[in-house]
């Protein structure tokens, strides 16, 4: 197996030089920065001692921008201009967002990425994220006492190309050099793998505020390999808050006998109808989250909500009730996790340890459920809030070249879906199979279908199915300038390359002339994790159906190829046949053409065999003629050099 070096060329540090590099966990809810200081990775705190920076940015009408806890305080007062969860929006369009939560902002549609209208103007999620990154970078520079060489920034495993690209843009806007984007669960595993140096298959269960990532990793001494990834980019602690919020709003309508109401300062049986203001919504969200977090420590809490006009609701909530209303969310994570295990053909009993990541994994219902599923306690000795930033800091330290070669470890990541090309008949030729370790480059040779063909259309697709229509189209481009040759004689080498950030480029090169065309593609632009799960499911259940369809298409292509070559042979050397022979070949051709138009595989095969046999004599005569011509020196180049280099070697 090929192993990939982490250190980029030119990034090795001079002896005794220490480059300042940080790891940043750019979270939906909270962000952190960490660095390796005196050989140990640690989270860098702000002046008040807080490690977590709420990923919240407030835009005031006068242009003042505040970030983090300060901005969060503005949230209930000025909800519309206080942007949280920008990570849910980054690299997404309105269409992508159709099934996620309603956010309390004025979203502006844009074909490239949704934007947010604020008092300080329309802001892109990239700008919002860059404010968070800038704040963390400044925090780190202050603490480390110098300019940063670069940062490793973590992203959810399922982030697609647009989202990754947008995250990089945010870093650039914040004047930060991105050493690499790293999947969050992988970063967590780095933190654990190095600290515990445990070997075996591990599962990383990351439930944050807005995303759920599950990764299956194989750890062997010094080497990390990601076996499979999965999850749900629209599931997280926020959804648990949302369940609590719905529970509270139901009580407004008298849906809960435990609710106690105060209206106009007096106890009341019911509540007048309230249309929630943005500020009320925001306050209610904060209360719901606080109640959820409280129930991690206590068996019971009381949600005490006051409307803008002073009306009030007090609603007791027990942990058991909370567990009941959120059980389906936990089950969803278990279902995704089972899928990843099945994908990698790993039984739960083969998993040696489970790493818990993300603040939401503090919830007892999550821990219990994971423990019940595996039959052992998950690992959580590194703070689940900090573990990603710590792993990222270690990686940043390596990439900046601060480590000696002998303690180098390697990191392998995987492609979530197969990448391939459309071939004749609408079939897919997979070039890079799913779950291949990246970075990876694979080349495959293709050839022309028609005599004299000078251009080739390259259609790049992604998915597990055999037929192009059932896969996702990623990009198309055309290779032109292929020298005219007989069908099948040209050699077109198509190279697929996926870089360490998961970005794909495809190039096609005609080997004799060196003419080349290439394209950068976005492997999963706009592809949600549901799409990926569906495409995987489709692929698994339909293997047999696909094989039958594939065989039919292959035979149809073969028939067309044979008809095509017969026709061009007749055009060129038809004079070698008498009228009777010619009529017989025409008849066999017509029969095959008719069979190929239908879907009877056996009839097509029979037609191919008949036409092949029926043209044998003709082919022999053509061969004789071409040898005669070659010997007379008419086309030695074409006849020998191009098509039979192997023969030459024998002489
Ligand atoms: P992200 O990676 O999305 O930024 P975090 O890992 O910081 O998220 O997790 C944030 C989530 O963790 C929030 O939903 C928050 O409410 C939840 N959380 C934090 N502490 C607790 C706790 N003690 N009990 C329950 N949930 C918690
Ligand atoms: Mg996180």
């Amino acid at each position: 197996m090929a192993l990939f070096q982490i250190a980029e060329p030119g990034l090795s540090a001079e002896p005794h030089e220490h480059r300042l590099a940080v790891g940043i966990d750019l979270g939906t809810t909270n962000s952190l920065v960490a660095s390796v200081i005196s050989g140990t990775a640690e989270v860098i705190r702000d002046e008040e001692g807080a490690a977590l920076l709420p990923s919240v940015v407030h835009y005031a009408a006068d242009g003042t921008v505040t970030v983090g806890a300060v901005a969060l305080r503005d949230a209930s007062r000025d909800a519309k201009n206080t942007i949280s969860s920008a990570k849910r929006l980054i690299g997404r369009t309105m269409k992508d967002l159709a099934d996620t939560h309603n956010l309390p902002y004025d979203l502006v549609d844009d074909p490239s990425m949704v934007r947010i209208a604020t008092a300080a103007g329309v802001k892109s999620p990239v700008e919002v994220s860059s404010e968070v990154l800038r704040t963390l970078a400044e925090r780190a520079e202050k603490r480390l006492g110098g300019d940063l060489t670069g940062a490793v920034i973590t992203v959810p495993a399922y982030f697609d190309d647009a989202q990754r690209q947008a995250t990089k843009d945010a870093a650039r806007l914040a004047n930060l050099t991105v050493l690499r984007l790293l999947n969050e669960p992988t970063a967590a595993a780095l933190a654990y793998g190095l600290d515990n140096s445990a070997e075996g298959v591990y599962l990383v269960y990351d439930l944050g505020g807005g995303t759920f990532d599950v990764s299956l990793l194989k750890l062997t001494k010094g080497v990390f390999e990601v076996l499979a990834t999965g999850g749900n980019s629209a599931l997280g602690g926020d959804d648990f808050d949302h369940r609590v919020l719905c529970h509270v709003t139901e009580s407004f309508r008298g849906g809960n006998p435990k609710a106690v109401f105060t209206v106009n300062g007096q106890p009341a049986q019911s509540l007048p109808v309230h249309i929630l203001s943005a500020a009320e919504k925001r306050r209610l969200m904060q209360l719901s989250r606080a109640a959820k977090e409280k129930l991690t420590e206590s068996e019971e809490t009381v949600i005490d909500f006051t409307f803008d006009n002073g009306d009030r609701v007090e609603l007791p909530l027990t942990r058991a009730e909370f567990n009941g209303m959120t059980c389906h969310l936990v089950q969803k994570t278990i279902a995704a996790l089972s899928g990843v295990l099945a994908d990698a053909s790993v039984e739960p009993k083969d998993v040696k340890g489970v790493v818990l990541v993300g603040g939401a994994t503090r919830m007892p219902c999550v821990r219990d459920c994971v423990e019940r599923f595996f039959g052992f306690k998950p690992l959580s000795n590194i703070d689940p809030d900090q573990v990603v930033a710590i792993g990222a800091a270690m990686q940043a330290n390596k990439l900046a070249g601060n480590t000696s070669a002998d303690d180098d470890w390697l990191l392998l990541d995987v492609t979530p879906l197969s990448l391939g090309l459309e071939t004749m008949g609408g079939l897919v030729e997979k070039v890079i199979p799913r779950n291949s370790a990246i970075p990876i480059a694979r080349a495959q040779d293709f050839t022309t279908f028609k005599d004299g063909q000078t251009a080739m259309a390259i259609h790049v697709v992604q998915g597990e199915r055999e037929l192009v229509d059932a896969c996702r189209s990623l990009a198309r481009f055309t290779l032109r300038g292929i020298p005219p040759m007989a069908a099948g004689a040209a050699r077109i080498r198509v190279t697929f390359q996926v870089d360490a950030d998961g970005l794909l480029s495809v190039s096609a090169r005609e080997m004799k002339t060196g003419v080349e065309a290439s394209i950068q593609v976005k492997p999963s632009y706009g592809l949600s994790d549901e799409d990926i799960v569906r495409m995987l499911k489709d692929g698994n259940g339909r293997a047999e159906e696909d094989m039958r369809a594939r065989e039919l298409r292959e035979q149809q292509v073969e028939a067309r190829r044979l008809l095509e070559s017969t026709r061009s042979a007749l055009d060129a050397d038809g004079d070698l046949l008498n009228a009777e022979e010619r009529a017989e070949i025409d008849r066999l051709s017509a029969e095959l053409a008719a069979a190929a138009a239908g879907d009877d595989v056996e009839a097509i095969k029979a037609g191919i065999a008949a036409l092949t046999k029926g043209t044998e004599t003709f082919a022999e005569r053509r061969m004789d003629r071409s040898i005669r011509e070659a010997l007379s020196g008419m086309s030695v180049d074409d006849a020998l050099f191009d098509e039979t280099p192997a023969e030459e070697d024998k002489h």
Side-chain angles (χ1 to χ4, degrees), residues 18-39:
H18 185 87
R19 292 191 168 129
L20 302 180
V22 294
I24 295 181
D25 174 3
L26 182 61
T28 316
T29 323
N30 297 302
S31 298
L32 297 91
V33 60
S35 189
V36 174
I37 303 171
S38 315

Side-chain angles (χ1 to χ4, degrees), residues 124-261:
S124 137
V126 170
E127 291 174 86
V128 180
S129 295
S130 81
E131 297 291 353
V132 174
L133 289 172
R134 186 175 300 126
T135 306
L136 291 173
E138 280 167 7
R139 183 196 284 189
E141 286 182 340
K142 214 178 269 173
R143 165 70 201 277
L144 300 172
D147 292 344
L148 299 181
T149 299
V152 167
I153 300 178
T154 58
V155 291
Y158 269 89
F159 251 28
D160 65 24
D161 185 79
Q163 291 164 301
R164 284 170 199 264
Q165 205 62 60
T167 303
K168 279 188 162 179
D169 291 346
R172 202 170 313 132
L173 209 57
N175 255 326
L176 259 180
T177 305
V178 180
L179 297 172
R180 180 158 302 173
L181 297 179
L182 183 64
N183 287 338
E184 289 158 8
T186 307
L190 295 186
Y192 270 103
L194 284 189
D195 284 3
N196 306 349
S197 19
E199 305 209 345
V201 174
Y202 282 78
L203 185 131
V204 181
Y205 179 108
D206 178 352
L207 191 61
T211 51
F212 175 58
D213 274 311
V214 43
S215 294
L216 202 57
L217 303 145
K218 200 162 109 187
L219 307 188
T220 21
K221 203 164 176 54
V223 179
F224 290 76
E225 187 183 0
V226 184
L227 296 180
T229 64
N232 188 335
S233 60
L235 178 66
D238 293 351
D239 297 282
F240 291 72
D241 304 350
H242 196 72
R243 289 305 305 140
V244 175
L245 188 142
C246 290
H247 180 72
V248 181
T249 52
E250 271 160 33
S251 78
F252 295 169
R253 295 192 294 272
N256 194 319
K258 281 161 68 184
V260 176
F261 302 116

Side-chain angles (χ1 to χ4, degrees), residues 485-501:
M485 278 180 249
R491 202 146 58 88
I492 317 291
R493 177 155 299 173
V494 179
T495 306
F496 276 55
Q497 195 162 358
V498 181
D499 72 12
D501 294 324

Side-chain angles (χ1 to χ4, degrees), residues 562-576:
L562 184 59
L563 287 166
E564 179 74 30
S565 65
T566 305
R567 199 188 49 76
S568 67
L570 289 172
D571 287 351
D573 299 312
D575 59 308
L576 293 172

